[in-house]
Amino acid sequence: MSSCLHFLPLVSFHFPSQPLLFSRHKPSYLLRATPTSATVEVSDAVDVAPSKFISQSRSPEWWIDSLRSKVRSNLLKEAVLIYIEMIVLGIKPDNFAFPALLKAVADLQDMNLGKQVHAHVYKFGYGVDSVTVANTLVNLYRKCGDFGAVYKVFDRISERNQVSWNSLISSLCSFEKWEMALEAFRCMLDEDVEPSSFTLVSVALACSNLPIREGLMLGKQVHAYSLRKGELNSFIINTLVAMYGKLGKFASSKVLLGSFEGRDLVTWNTVLSSLCQNEQFLEALEYLREMVLEGVEPDGFTISSVLPVCSHLEMLRTGKELHAYALKNGSLDENSFVGSALVDMYCNCKQVLSGRRVFDGIFDRRIGLWNAMITGYAQNEHDGEALSLFIEMEESAGLLANTTTMASVVPACVRSNAFSRKEAIHGFVMKRGLDGDRFVQNALMDMYSRLGKIDIAEMIFSKMEDKDLVTWNTMITGYVFSEFHEDALLVLHKMQNSERKASEGVSRVGLKPNSITLMTILPSCAALSALAKGKEIHAYAIKNNLATDVAVGSALVDMYAKCGCLHMSRKVFEQIPIKNVITWNVIVMAYGMHGNGQDAIDLLKMMMAQKVKPNEVTFISVFAACSHSGMVDEGLRIFYNMKNDYGVEPSSDHYACVVDLLGRAGRVKEAYQLMNMMPLGFDKAGAWSSLLGACRIHNNLEIGEIAAQNLIQLEPNVASHYVLLANIYSSAGLWDKATELRRKMKEKGVRKEPGCSWIEYGDEVHKFIAGDSSHPQSEKLHGYLETLWDKMRKEGYIPDTSCVLHNVEEDEKEVLLCGHSEKLAIAFGILNTSPGTVIRVAKNLRVCNDCHLATKFISKIVGREIILRDVRRFHHFKNGTCSCGDYW
């Protein structure tokens, strides 16, 4: 073989010494293979074989013509039987018989039979001399999946022609050996063999699967070569259109499409498929319209390509029009992909029953259709139906689940209450040998993250050799779900600097975050109040045209709001072209967190004016806004008119919000009365929790004890219930009861969540825990706070020790207060940032009375604006005052 292909691995290939297939004692040796084999049973030979007398009277030419005719008619098994009869009768095959026979065996994909026919090729002297036979052998081993044999056969061809090289390059593409296919093309040119349009189609395909920069460079050369040689026929143009589309150069695809007068259905389908795969959805619909106007009728492939557009954009009406067209022209019956795409479209548009009707109306149900329906159920959290259909598929339809099936079944198992042994599905996956698939591994990672076993998710992640973008996104989501926000940001950094294995061992560095990555990671920036990192992600979103995506835009609105930048939150909100109910809910909640209740109510009115129907979450946001702003009457009015004015039935969460609204305003008894008015069957835990919090603020011991007793009965392992009641006891001086309550917590193994605060500085987020001295600057911070303490006292500060649960001396209580996490974070911000810089701190718990009071004094003394976000709301401290007006 040419030296320019020396890099190809030499794979040994054993040819059988005896042509066992053609033993005279057992002429149908291999034809007794297992039922799953593609070959024929012995009894078939009896039915098709002619009588001995008639057989012997026929000429060799008749036998060979019959063999070739059977192959042309796709009667592959009959073709093999005719060949066997020829050999039994002693009729020697020629240079025309073997290519036909080898094509039949290749289409049957029977490797064992193919090897024996290959041995026969050598026996009759066609193994070296006939290039036609050799080319067909290359094709045989390509279809049977033996790369080493393809190379070995090609290497032995002494006089390679154009078909030989085409067969090799096509085979290399089939095995996804893209760089090797291009190297073979170079060698073909070096040997002065003229490429054909078939060659160029394979080479363009190889270019489209390279990294973008390299693929475009080589792809343009192929394009230029085609122009120079005048080979721009429909096959080449269709392939080049697909290549440019896959490499992200849609402008080039459009130019080709516009300049090609002979564009046919395949050309249009190629463009539509490229646009859809690259999420250019609106443009795909425009091209479909143009295609129809040109008089080109869509086929099943067109419909199955465009339906995902309706699915992603939730364009139900357009999807129904395509459904009607498919029914009219028979595409639904002829193309199984159309049925699957319709099921997917309806389920993505929340029309699961319509999806099921499509499924039930198709009688030839292949695995893809079953998977589409199971996935549709799982995506809409109809988990019981998903699992039932999965069992029906395996037991009634006799189909075995594949990796796509399990990627949907695993999440359904996690959510379904009927499936108690969640981790057992992992064992099922392993038993079926599907655990090596990346999609299944992603689903398992997500499962363990949701089960609180992030360590197992990490183990699966670390063992995956080739992590794609979905894998990284799944791990980030797992950390965010588990509230390990620092780890989530670290994984994002690793993802952008990772290396992925490309074919032939070539690595390409880094993966670009997509819209899913951004909408997943932005909540971590919000939780840590990491504004600089959030702005960096926002800049990336703008640069990559992702900022106007409704999901990313909504996450940005939330991030800016939770980092204390309400004006930026509103600005991003206004820039989102298409807002859904989630976007509106986020901005309403943003104003509520900052205590701007009237703005939140105004937004609700705007939402209604723009025909966006509010949902349950909208009213949770509105009530929270009213609660933090003291707008009790407005909140109650909206609550009692929810059903009539907005068509939303009040839920247990809404009752909990209104209890908080009344309780925060000091109307604790009214709040308690509302509790007793809650409908039967409602979950009262949230409302009792709101009532207990109100009793802590207003020191209502009597109702506080009732609320705490109910909560401890409902949620015995939630530490905050015990802590709030202990605070009430401590404020009332009932130290014995407070001590007894702490003892019960210890007995039950209930541990109080430690106060934790975060502050961003440079590229890092610094974490402070109450009473902890592990931070490198801990000694310096405590020293600074002691100095600041003296200045604050001179300004009139008196520590509020009512929130200290321990019965110790006042000076010890003050020492304990000094170690609260938000004070340490604020001190760090003052010492490490330049004068005048706004200090932004986030805390995981409600800010205590003393820290709130102290921060007002600190803001005045150091001349800084301090923005503190606790678990409930924002506090903007400036010149000794707080934006909450001491109402929180």
Side-chain angles (χ1 to χ4, degrees), residues 503-548:
S503 55
E504 312 313 321
V506 178
S507 297
R508 52 182 184 267
V509 179
L511 283 169
K512 289 182 67 175
N514 63 2
S515 58
I516 304 296
T517 319
L518 302 191
M519 63 180 284
T520 303
I521 198 65
L522 281 166
S524 285
C525 299
L528 299 173
S529 218
L531 180 60
K533 187 65 181 176
K535 285 182 174 180
E536 181 185 323
I537 292 170
H538 189 184
Y540 174 89
I542 292 171
K543 183 180 178 182
N544 291 276
N545 297 317
L546 297 173
T548 54

Side-chain angles (χ1 to χ4, degrees), residues 280 638 765:
Q280 305 291 315
I638 293 171
V765 175

